[in-house]
Amino acid sequence: MRFETIAVHAGAEPDPTTGAVAPPIHLSTTFEHGPASEDPYGFHYVRDANPTQSRLEKALAAIEQGEAALVWASGMAATGAYLQALPPGSHVVFPDDMYYANRVIARDLFPRWGLTSTAVDGFDLAAIQAALTPATRLVWAETPSNPLMKVVDLARLAELAHARGAELLVDGTFATPALQQPLALGADVVLHSTTKYIGGHSDVQGGALVFKRRGDRFGHVAELRSLLGAVASPFNSWLVLRGLRTLAVRVERQSASALALAAALDGHPRLTAIHYPGLPSHRGHETARRQMRGFGGMLSIQVAGGRAGALDVASRVRLFLNATSLGGAESLIEHRASSEGPGSATSDDLLRMSVGLEHPQDLIDDLRQALDRA
Ligand SMILES: Cc1ncc(COP(=O)(O)O)c(C=O)c1O
């Protein structure tokens, strides 16, 4: 079956006790034992697993073609558990452009966890290969990346990582499983902040890891989740599951609108750069065409006049909302360096946009009037 069909039907069996078509939300924190103190229904305590969360995990494993999935209270909870499950002494290769909180983890927490890391240009496979050492256990990829939209060839990256005995994890939050399937391209695990496109309505926080194999790493990460407790609540699991059902159509529309917006803004005299993998001038365009079904709903622009120029444009939009995050129905724009805070490596003139579900011409008109008046 194709992605759209799986996304609607995976983990969507009618409730066996009532026939309800929409999945029930099981709020119970505990589950009745059998006479030998066994768990006859497969559930024991909410921090280990709960039926609504399990439905979501089943659905995510199916859409990513993985053997198993684990869902979390946030994308960062998933990230933290995966990294903490690495043996002390492990070396991690990160892209230089990636979600900023991961950079802070590498800088501030890795020394405490006994891990080391090297950051390399996420476009540059040769640089990534050169950064691999005998201690490298993990290559972390984020493609397209946040906020520069760098794209890396995942099939090649998987070969490079595996040749050195390292795992490949792909943060696929921007691409979504509707556009990119990292496990099919050779990755070992895919991470999503389900707060974004999969939830899809800016009203739920969550994270997910989908594993190609239900192996040792899965076991260690599952144990950490159970012990440390950053599980997805039943209600949040339900909201993410509901978002998943419409992911394909939302992302198809958002990608088409982002492409139209990027094409319309390309060459505007107030812009010094535009970062969108759907533009033929983008350095990762050919790779994105090969490994993605669309180019996604995220883009970044750099504005003449530095920080002041960028803030001016962000304050003149009428339809785009000036707020962080992404993947919802409403279009957002933000001054990325301000959101990342002190120590941000993002250029001060950069605005990041999440294209929503409004009519694309209204979005183009809004950005044009903001740029023209700035
Ligand atoms: C690419 C990417 N990965 C991970 C995260 C972290 O997700 P969360 O905010 O759900 O913890 C984010 C959040 O913005 C993100 O953009």
Side-chain angles (χ1 to χ4, degrees):
M1 274 186 294
R2 289 162 185 79
F3 177 83
E4 291 81 348
T5 312
I6 302 171
V8 171
H9 289 283
E13 309 71 34
D15 176 36
T17 54
T18 62
V21 170
I25 307 174
H26 291 285
L27 294 173
S28 186
T29 56
T30 188
F31 301 86
E32 190 183 20
H33 299 168
S37 204
E38 79 282 17
D39 297 318
Y41 308 98
F43 296 101
H44 183 74
Y45 181 58
V46 65
R47 202 175 67 239
D48 302 321
N50 72 77
T52 319
Q53 181 179 282
S54 296
R55 263 190 195 255
L56 173 58
E57 289 172 344
K58 193 172 161 191
L60 289 171
I63 59 166
E64 288 283 12
Q65 304 170 54
E67 283 186 2
L70 292 167
V71 296
W72 308 79
S74 69
M76 289 316 294
T79 298
Y82 199 87
L83 293 170
Q84 286 181 81
L86 295 173
S90 299
H91 173 251
V92 181
V93 175
F94 280 124
D96 59 356
D97 186 64
M98 64 172 172
Y99 181 53
Y100 84 102
N102 297 347
R103 289 182 238 157
V104 178
I105 288 185
R107 188 191 66 206
D108 295 351
L109 301 185
F110 270 24
R112 292 192 222 164
W113 294 348
L115 304 175
T116 57
S117 65
T118 307
V120 279
D121 180 355
F123 273 130
D124 189 344
L125 281 170
I128 297 170
Q129 186 171 24
L132 298 171
T133 75
T136 307
R137 290 286 172 88
L138 175 66
V139 175
W140 186 283
E142 188 181 302
T143 179
S145 68
N146 182 358
L148 285 175
M149 311 297 300
K150 292 187 180 184
V151 170
V152 67
D153 183 330
L154 290 176
R156 286 281 297 121
L157 192 58
E159 283 170 15
L160 293 181
H162 294 158
R164 297 297 293 266
E167 299 161 6
L168 174 62
L169 179 148
V170 179
D171 182 339
T173 299
F174 274 25
T176 86
L179 301 181
Q180 180 174 278
Q181 304 260 292
L183 301 188
L185 293 167
D188 302 287
V189 59
V190 57
L191 179 141
H192 292 289
S193 165
T194 55
T195 315
K196 316 299 182 193
Y197 285 99
I198 299 180
H201 296 78
S202 307
D203 56 7
V204 59
Q205 181 143 57
L209 289 169
V210 187
F211 296 76
K212 190 168 195 161
R213 305 256 171 271
R214 188 185 271 272
D216 289 349
R217 185 73 68 220
F218 169 83
H220 290 144
V221 177
E223 184 189 20
L224 276 175
R225 187 184 67 174
S226 194
L227 288 172
L228 300 180
V231 290
S233 73
F235 186 56
N236 284 10
S237 299
W238 186 86
L239 280 173
V240 174
L241 192 56
R242 188 166 77 151
L244 179 60
R245 305 305 180 205
T246 56
L247 178 70
V249 282
R250 285 186 284 106
V251 171
E252 191 179 321
R253 171 66 180 268
Q254 285 159 327
S255 292
S257 297
L259 184 60
L261 184 64
L265 298 183
D266 199 15
H268 192 286
R270 290 213 52 88
L271 297 183
T272 55
I274 176 158
H275 305 279
Y276 185 65
L279 293 176
S281 55
H282 186 271
R283 191 170 152 197
H285 178 65
E286 282 310 318
T287 306
R289 264 164 54 102
R290 270 201 317 278
Q291 72 185 15
M292 297 176 73
R293 288 173 65 189
F295 301 104
M298 296 298 297
L299 70 153
S300 298
I301 53 175
Q302 289 180 260
V303 182
R307 177 186 169 84
L311 290 175
D312 193 24
V313 171
S315 68
R316 288 179 191 276
V317 289
R318 295 175 180 143
L319 187 53
F320 276 84
L321 282 166
N322 187 345
T324 194
S325 203
L326 56 128
E330 64 292 316
S331 290
L332 302 178
I333 191 166
E334 68 167 332
H335 183 245
R336 189 64 196 152
S338 297
S339 289
E340 294 181 354
S344 164
T346 299
S347 178
D348 235 4
D349 59 358
L350 185 139
L351 296 173
R352 192 190 76 180
M353 284 179 272
S354 167
V355 174
L357 294 171
E358 301 90 344
H359 195 285
Q361 192 57 51
D362 291 331
L363 297 174
I364 293 169
D365 292 347
D366 189 34
L367 249 300
R368 277 219 180 106
Q369 65 78 27
L371 287 167
D372 291 346
R373 291 191 312 131

